[in-house]
Amino acid sequence: MTNNDDRWQHLNPYERRYSLSAMQAYDEIMLRTTDVIEISERYQFSLEEIKRAKNFAFGDGVSSYEFSPSSDMADAWLRMSSGKETPLDEVLLRHEIYESDLVINQGLKQSDAHKLAQEKYPWSDLLVQSKKDN
Amino acid sequence: MDAEKNFLKALKSCNSLVNVKGEPSSIPCQTIELLCGVAKEEYLAFRWSQFQYSVKVEEALVAIDEYARSCDNWRIYNQDCSLGFGVKDHCTILSFLLNLPSSNYTNYTGNFNSAEIICDLLQEWSGFDFRLLLTPSPELIPH
């Protein structure tokens, strides 16, 4: 499990200041204990798949794959874990489950796995389009 | 003049993002640095170049958009990018810079929710206050 006390120490002062709310949201997600089972039941995925996707996107995967925190991703997970999800949030969930499976279980390079996940579940594409349409 | 030349170089740099879709790249961060340099050197030239090369600016924004949509928010922090943050954050900042003086920009991560926040960050990092470019310069608006 990620150590929430020091997981952001590698960030520079600009990042720590201007990504603070995203960092806090990621930490809040990793502290949640009931989200995995709730999301698993809601979307009919196994506990293992949800746990793996969560840790990949918001936990250890952040440092392992050098992700910078994104408020959009955190907001989507927080909505899903509180029963206020949107249809787009499910696309993110499926994207992360698929990408994390390709990386962790099948050994693909993360950027290659992202490309494949993006083809099947183009969350970031759909999200940007949705923002522009609104 | 150097400012205009560097502005065009920045646009070319944005267009080169089509070659690195779906991959981490320091190009967006380097382009932010280039544009900050243009504004610091001659901020009116920055604005003039936006008007003068508006078609090229639009093309650059399309390239930025396509790149950002293809990426995870991979963190870039190295000798080519002292700013840090992720590539999609960089694309948000580039969208802001190239849409000036409008404060409408595409936010690719949800991290920078106002033009003011981006201005604060860029002022701290580059020393230039982009609020100067947030208001239209009447002398540069085509009649």
Side-chain angles (χ1 to χ4, degrees):
Chain A
M1 178 57 79
T2 302
N3 180 345
N4 285 317
D5 292 333
D6 62 7
R7 65 187 295 213
W8 305 112
Q9 279 185 357
H10 63 291
L11 299 184
N12 72 33
Y14 302 117
E15 294 169 288
R16 290 175 73 84
R17 186 174 320 157
Y18 289 93
S19 299
L20 183 61
S21 76
M23 289 157 53
Q24 288 173 333
Y26 274 46
D27 288 343
E28 183 187 338
I29 287 166
M30 293 314 292
L31 288 171
R32 288 196 175 197
T33 54
T34 56
D35 54 346
V36 170
I37 190 162
E38 285 167 355
I39 293 172
S40 160
E41 285 173 357
R42 190 169 302 123
Y43 293 102
Q44 300 297 298
F45 284 105
S46 69
L47 289 173
E48 185 192 339
E49 287 172 310
I50 302 296
K51 194 175 172 185
R52 185 188 66 229
K54 175 181 173 178
N55 199 43
F56 179 83
F58 303 103
D60 294 338
V62 173
S63 57
S64 298
Y65 307 108
E66 298 184 63
F67 298 140
S68 201
S70 156
S71 293
D72 283 339
M73 283 182 62
D75 290 346
W77 190 273
L78 290 168
R79 279 192 298 270
M80 284 190 285
S81 63
S82 54
K84 296 174 182 169
E85 65 278 359
T86 69
L88 265 182
D89 297 338
E90 185 176 350
V91 180
L92 174 66
L93 179 66
R94 290 179 180 276
H95 178 117
E96 296 302 335
I97 289 172
Y98 184 56
E99 184 176 320
S100 61
D101 176 56
L102 292 174
V103 173
I104 293 166
N105 297 333
Q106 300 187 46
L108 263 71
K109 189 178 158 195
Q110 189 273 324
S111 56
D112 291 340
H114 173 74
K115 278 181 195 169
L116 292 172
Q118 190 67 7
E119 283 170 16
K120 283 185 86 164
Y121 307 111
W123 174 73
S124 55
D125 211 7
L126 295 171
L127 181 68
V128 171
Q129 199 53 53
S130 155
K131 287 181 180 184
K132 289 188 175 185
D133 292 345
N134 294 326
Chain B
M1 82 180 73
D2 281 350
E4 182 183 350
K5 202 168 92 180
N6 284 334
F7 189 87
L8 288 170
K9 191 176 167 188
L11 297 184
K12 198 174 169 185
S13 179
C14 292
N15 290 332
S16 75
L17 289 170
V18 295
N19 301 317
V20 290
K21 277 187 197 173
E23 296 169 19
S25 171
S26 57
I27 292 173
C29 187
Q30 289 173 303
T31 310
I32 292 169
E33 190 164 9
L34 199 52
L35 288 171
C36 286
V38 171
K40 276 175 83 172
E41 184 186 337
E42 208 172 339
Y43 80 90
L44 285 176
F46 184 105
R47 173 157 293 169
W48 180 85
S49 295
Q50 281 185 301
F51 282 117
Q52 183 72 10
Y53 300 110
S54 59
V55 173
K56 286 180 186 290
V57 166
E58 283 305 314
E59 288 170 0
L61 284 166
V62 169
I64 292 163
D65 190 68
E66 288 179 1
Y67 175 71
R69 289 176 186 231
S70 74
C71 290
D72 261 332
N73 196 29
W74 292 297
R75 181 172 185 253
I76 305 289
Y77 185 54
N78 54 35
Q79 59 188 15
D80 296 326
C81 178
S82 64
L83 180 60
F85 298 96
V87 292
K88 291 169 81 164
D89 292 316
H90 299 153
C91 289
T92 300
I93 295 170
L94 283 176
S95 175
F96 164 75
L97 291 173
L98 292 179
N99 274 298
L100 285 167
S102 163
S103 57
N104 293 323
Y105 59 91
T106 305
N107 190 334
Y108 294 102
T109 58
N111 291 348
F112 298 106
N113 286 321
S114 74
E116 288 295 311
I117 290 172
I118 297 177
C119 288
D120 287 344
L121 168 63
L122 293 179
Q123 185 168 17
E124 278 184 54
W125 181 64
S126 76
F128 183 78
D129 186 357
F130 277 92
R131 288 174 190 81
L132 278 171
L133 289 165
L134 265 174
T135 49
S137 300
E139 70 273 18
L140 289 171
I141 296 174
H143 295 289

